[in-house]
Amino acid sequence: DQQVKQNSPSLSVQEGRISILNCDYTNSMFDYFLWYKKYPAEGPTFLISISSIKDKNEDGRFTVFLNKSAKHLSLHIVPSQPGDSAVYFCAANRPTSGTYKYIFGTGTRLKVLA
Amino acid sequence: DAGITQSPRHKVTETGTPVTLRCHQTENHRYMYWYRQDPGHGLRLIHYSYGVKDTDKGEVSDGYSVSRSKTEDFLLTLESATSSQTSVYFCAISESILPGTPYYEQYFGPGTRLTVT
């Protein structure tokens, strides 16, 4: 049972345009969500996060939106740059319940075209 | 950089042989994790540790065991490797991004590519 889903395995976007990566979850107990970026042959690196008490968090070109009623979050990258080409994973956990297990989605490969 | 190293970085082994992967951290983090990454499956948690000698299973723990006798080292053992365990293995630690809150982010090691023939 996939509790965190990224239904788009890949996405191509022109440089300068907006990239929108989507993530859905099934467990309403999740209260913390994270996005990671992964380049080939490297470990994932933390990008941005959001707790369930917020619906938006912004950090530079990256914004994460959380829609709790739809159990959906999205990562917006504006403007997209060729260096953003990577695999993006969303993850969720329940830290306020004292649980520090993270559940990851299957990833979306973003390709930003110059 | 959370000071995480993994060894070996690459390994080829034969079916049925035991294999141990090592994760080492230098910053005294309490939580440590082992994941595997496979195409179409993303990152899946194998085991994690919340302190010395304290470990718990993740979503894909069958065929794997772990040990943590020191804070800095978290070992993953495949007792009898199978071809289905061919994968890239990542170690991670958790660190609070907002001290005093329960919100932790994870830092990952560089990965170990394991091939079981």
Side-chain angles (χ1 to χ4, degrees), chain A residues 1-113:
Chain A
D1 178 30
Q2 190 75 23
Q3 296 187 67
V4 177
K5 302 177 186 178
Q6 294 177 257
N7 293 319
S8 298
S10 63
L11 175 69
S12 291
V13 171
Q14 285 293 134
E15 181 179 5
R17 305 295 289 268
I18 184 172
S19 296
I20 300 176
L21 295 93
N22 294 304
C23 180
D24 297 295
Y25 60 97
T26 58
N27 189 341
S28 58
M29 300 298 290
F30 288 140
D31 54 11
Y32 190 51
F33 305 89
L34 309 93
W35 283 95
Y36 287 82
K37 174 177 172 179
K38 185 184 179 306
Y39 292 120
E42 295 183 10
T45 55
F46 172 73
L47 201 53
I48 193 169
S49 63
I50 188 167
S51 70
S52 60
I53 61 174
K54 294 186 173 183
D55 53 19
K56 175 182 174 181
N57 189 28
E58 191 171 352
D59 184 3
R61 295 186 298 114
F62 302 91
T63 302
V64 57
F65 295 92
L66 175 62
N67 181 335
K68 288 188 291 293
S69 60
K71 296 194 185 67
H72 177 83
L73 63 153
S74 60
L75 175 68
H76 293 212
I77 307 174
V78 183
S80 300
Q81 300 173 353
D84 296 328
S85 296
V87 177
Y88 290 78
F89 293 99
C90 64
N93 75 343
R94 301 168 47 193
T96 55
S97 301
T99 301
Y100 290 92
K101 286 186 186 181
Y102 296 75
I103 306 298
F104 281 78
T106 52
T108 296
R109 183 177 302 275
L110 173 67
K111 188 171 185 179
V112 180
L113 307 169

Side-chain angles (χ1 to χ4, degrees), chain B:
Chain B
D1 183 2
I4 305 168
T5 57
Q6 293 184 232
S7 59
R9 294 293 313 280
H10 301 271
K11 186 168 181 69
V12 180
T13 192
E14 293 185 349
T15 297
T17 59
V19 177
T20 295
L21 308 183
R22 180 183 184 235
C23 178
H24 179 78
Q25 54 126 336
T26 59
E27 298 185 10
N28 210 33
H29 296 290
R30 178 183 174 191
Y31 295 95
M32 297 184 75
Y33 305 77
W34 277 107
Y35 291 89
R36 58 179 288 175
Q37 186 199 4
D38 304 286
H41 292 279
L43 289 158
R44 292 182 291 175
L45 181 65
I46 304 171
H47 282 279
Y48 74 106
S49 170
Y50 45 96
V52 173
K53 293 187 169 46
D54 292 323
T55 64
D56 200 358
K57 295 180 180 179
E59 23 178 353
V60 289
S61 58
D62 287 348
Y64 301 95
S65 62
V66 289
S67 66
R68 193 166 177 202
S69 58
K70 298 185 290 185
T71 298
E72 59 266 35
D73 289 324
F74 192 31
L75 305 181
L76 176 71
T77 297
L78 292 66
E79 301 290 347
S80 178
T82 68
S83 58
S84 65
Q85 293 175 313
T86 292
S87 188
V88 180
Y89 291 86
F90 289 101
C91 174
I93 60 90
S94 281
E95 182 175 87
S96 177
I97 59 173
L98 294 171
T101 75
Y103 302 117
Y104 284 55
E105 67 183 60
Q106 286 190 311
Y107 290 96
F108 285 81
T112 293
R113 182 173 293 276
L114 176 68
T115 302
V116 183
T117 61

